[in-house]
């Protein structure tokens, strides 16, 4: 079933016998049982629906965590100077902030460094360590980086500086010769936890040290940083992450976290924190410093208790984020989407020497969303091109990085299944294009990129009780997405622009109540053309959400796509 936006939508297949078993075993309603089966929840996730499960340290007997905690304890006991090196994104900043908070509490000698994107490049490098060793660290803890920094770790070893890597990026053999590497992506007995971000791993690492020292540091007060990193690094909200998300949001009080409260106060927001706030509000604000040349700002905000510092950094980061939005809009306005579409390539590769290096990841994400294809965006960075890639679920972009390095097509790189970055010489750009287009075809010969909805439902079923059943599976996020439904034969009334990119409207079924609806970021797309002018009955693909306005809650549809009736 091809939609107006050109996506191929199909209904998810489901085992009806399993639905009946779930309904009987747990006394769940049909829609809840159906969604549980579709998501393949395990028994722990099912039990978490109506019960609060305790978050425990699953790594307390793990050899990597034990070894790393012993190394840190040794440095603490010797009062050695410790360097924290974190990545410049939310995950790296959050993990760094946890360590800073802990070290400040125990009055440990330390310093931290968040690399500047353009000046320092990504992660742990020999050049960076040559600068940092002037502060004479005896131990370097790398968070959200270091997994491919073999030469940099060799340099530390030559200088007799111990090192711990806590990371979750893809790893290639030979591994760096660090004293300890905590990374579920290496060949290890805890590979099943490869869905955890670096901040989560750092949290459990610090927790082990606290248990051994019987410190009174309240690490759980900063679990919100773990959830922030989990959401912003697009980690699956399943299994341990789902328990984490449920617990944190249930127990979090905005007034107890000065950084988040200052952001909400600055933006004049008066509501409870949501997962969406973390991913689309707070995350981009924290990230903006790293994108535009002020990498330390995020860590300074998350680790300060000083009211003046908090207000200053919040204001600066919000201004930087607004600047980022304007730059992003200008870049997107200059891209010839029609020209890209006519090339009809399976992987979008877009090169612009004048693009701000800190925005290439965002632009890659926008191109991926628009074309429903993997996208790579490149810009000039000193004598090389810096690239950022965002991919679709049917193509693991991180796995191809190793192949590209082995074939000397790119200089270096790394990443996750859905996101990666690398550096490349300009004269290798055609080699990259040829190789990656061929690789995509090879790995997708018998697969089509399909978009799936959970179920077809009647518009008359859309009420508060139905929404409440769905909401029991929340909080929603990656791999636990908000359910999406097909709703047929409705009419569009009162469409109007909201802001610059959104359209609000009323959906009217053949019988029953009208439903307030919205379509985000759809202006200047085929969807917007139909929403603004189509008068006949139409079929919609939508999420069912709850809108809160003036303390009144109502059901709202978040429209994702459209079908002409009869399709």
């Amino acid at each position: 079933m091809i939609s107006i936006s050109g996506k191929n939508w199909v209904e998810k297949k489901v085992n009806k016998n399993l639905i009946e078993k779930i309904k009987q075993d747990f006394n769940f309603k049909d829609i809840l049982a159906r969604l549980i089966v579709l998501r393949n929840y395990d028994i722990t996730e099912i039990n978490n629906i109506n019960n609060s499960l305790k978050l425990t340290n699953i790594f307390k007997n793990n050899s990597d965590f034990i070894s790393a905690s012993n190394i840190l304890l040794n440095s603490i006991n010797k009062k050695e100077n410790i360097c924290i090196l974190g990545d410049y994104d939310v995950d790296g900043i959050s993990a760094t902030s946890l360590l800073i908070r802990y070290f400040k509490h125990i009055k440990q000698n330390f310093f931290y460094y968040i690399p500047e994107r353009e000046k320092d490049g990504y992660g742990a490098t020999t050049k960076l360590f040559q600068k940092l060793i002037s502060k004479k660290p005896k131990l370097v803890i790398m968070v959200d980086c270091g997994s491919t920094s073999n030469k940099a770790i060799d340099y530390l070893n030559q200088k007799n500086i111990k090192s711990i890597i806590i990371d979750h990026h893809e790893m290639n053999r030979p591994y760096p010769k660090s004293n300890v590497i905590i990374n579920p992506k290496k060949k290890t007995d805890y590979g099943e936890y490869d869905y955890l971000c670096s901040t989560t791993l750092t949290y459990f690492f610090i927790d082990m040290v606290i248990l051994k020292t019987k410190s009174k540091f309240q690490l759980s007060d900063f679990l919100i940083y773990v959830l922030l990193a989990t959401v912003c690094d697009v980690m699956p909200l399943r299994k341990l992450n789902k328990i984490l998300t449920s617990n944190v949001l249930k127990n979090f009080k905005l007034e107890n976290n000065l950084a988040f409260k200052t952001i909400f106060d600055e933006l004049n927001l008066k509501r409870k924190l949501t997962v969406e706030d973390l991913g689309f509000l707070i995350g981009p604000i924290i990230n903006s410093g790293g994108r535009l040349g002020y990498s330390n700002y995020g860590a300074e905000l998350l680790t300060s208790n000083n009211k003046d510092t908090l207000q200053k950094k919040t204001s600066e980061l919000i201004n930087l984020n607004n600047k980022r939005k304007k730059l992003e809009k200008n870049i997107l306005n200059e891209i010839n989407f029609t020209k890209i579409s006519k090339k009809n390539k399976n992987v979008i590769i877009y090169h612009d020497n004048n693009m701000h290096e800190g925005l290439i990841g965002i632009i890659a994400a926008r191109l991926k969303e628009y074309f429903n294809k993997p996208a790579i965006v490149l810009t000039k960075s000193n004598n090389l091109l810096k690239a950022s890639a965002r991919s679709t679920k049917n193509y693991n972009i991180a796995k191809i990085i190793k192949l590209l390095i082995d074939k000397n097509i790119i200089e270096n790189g790394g990443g996750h299944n859905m996101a990666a970055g690398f550096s490349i010489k300009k004269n290798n750009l055609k080699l990259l294009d040829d190789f990656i287009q061929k690789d995509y075809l090879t790995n997708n010969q018998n697969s089509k990129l399909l978009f799936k909805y959970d179920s077809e439902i009647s518009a008359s079923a859309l009420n508060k009780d139905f929404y409440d059943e769905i909401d029991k599976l929340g909080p929603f996020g990656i791999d636990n997405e908000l359910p999406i439904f097909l709703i047929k034969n409705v009419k569009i009334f009162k469409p109007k622009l909201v802001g610059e990119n959104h359209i609000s409207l009323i959906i009217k079924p053949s019988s029953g109540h009208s439903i307030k609806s919205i379509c985000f970021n759809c202006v200047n797309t085929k969807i917007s053309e139909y929403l603004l002018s189509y008068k006949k009955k139409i079929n919609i693909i939508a999420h069912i959400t709850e809108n809160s306005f003036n303390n009144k809650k109502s059901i709202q549809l978040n429209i994702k796509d459209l079908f002409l009736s009869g399709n």
Side-chain angles (χ1 to χ4, degrees), residues 166-326:
I166 307 176
D167 195 13
H168 70 137
H169 290 90
E170 293 288 342
M171 298 194 73
N172 303 314
R173 290 186 180 276
Y175 300 148
K177 295 178 181 178
S178 179
N179 292 83
V180 183
I181 300 174
I182 294 174
N183 188 335
K185 292 290 179 68
K186 69 179 184 178
K187 189 174 181 180
T188 179
D189 59 354
Y190 55 98
E192 65 182 292
Y193 296 107
D194 63 351
Y195 60 89
L196 301 180
C197 68
S198 298
T199 305
T200 309
L201 298 169
T202 303
Y203 180 91
F204 286 126
F205 165 62
I206 298 173
D207 183 63
M208 285 194 66
V209 177
I210 289 172
L211 289 173
K212 289 182 178 182
T213 59
K214 298 181 180 179
S215 168
K216 293 182 179 180
F217 178 65
Q218 295 298 311
L219 182 62
S220 60
D221 288 350
F222 303 100
L223 261 173
I224 190 65
Y225 294 175
V226 179
L227 181 55
L228 173 68
T230 298
V231 172
C232 291
D233 230 41
V234 201
M235 295 292 101
L237 292 192
R238 294 292 305 274
K239 300 180 180 179
L240 186 65
N241 283 342
K242 193 170 190 312
I243 296 172
L244 165 76
T245 307
S246 300
N247 285 0
V248 173
L249 290 181
K250 188 177 296 182
N251 298 315
F252 180 74
K253 294 180 180 179
L254 195 62
E255 60 269 21
N256 292 340
N257 186 281
L258 295 176
F260 284 26
K261 185 178 186 305
T262 306
I263 292 174
F264 265 54
D265 288 346
E266 189 76 13
L267 297 174
N268 197 29
L269 298 175
K270 301 183 186 303
R271 62 168 187 258
K272 292 182 69 173
L273 184 78
T274 66
V275 168
E276 289 74 23
D277 288 329
L278 295 174
F280 299 108
L281 177 69
I282 293 176
I285 289 171
I286 300 295
N287 250 339
S288 62
R291 293 193 184 283
L292 297 178
Y294 300 89
S295 294
N296 276 348
Y297 280 15
E300 288 174 25
L301 176 67
L302 295 183
T303 58
S304 178
N305 292 324
N306 181 279
K307 184 177 179 181
D308 291 337
T309 300
L310 286 162
Q311 288 182 334
K312 184 174 185 294
K313 290 304 165 190
T314 296
S315 179
E316 288 172 337
L317 283 166
I318 288 173
N319 289 335
L320 284 170
N321 194 43
N322 289 334
K323 180 181 178 182
R324 185 271 305 170
K325 290 177 183 177
K326 290 178 181 177

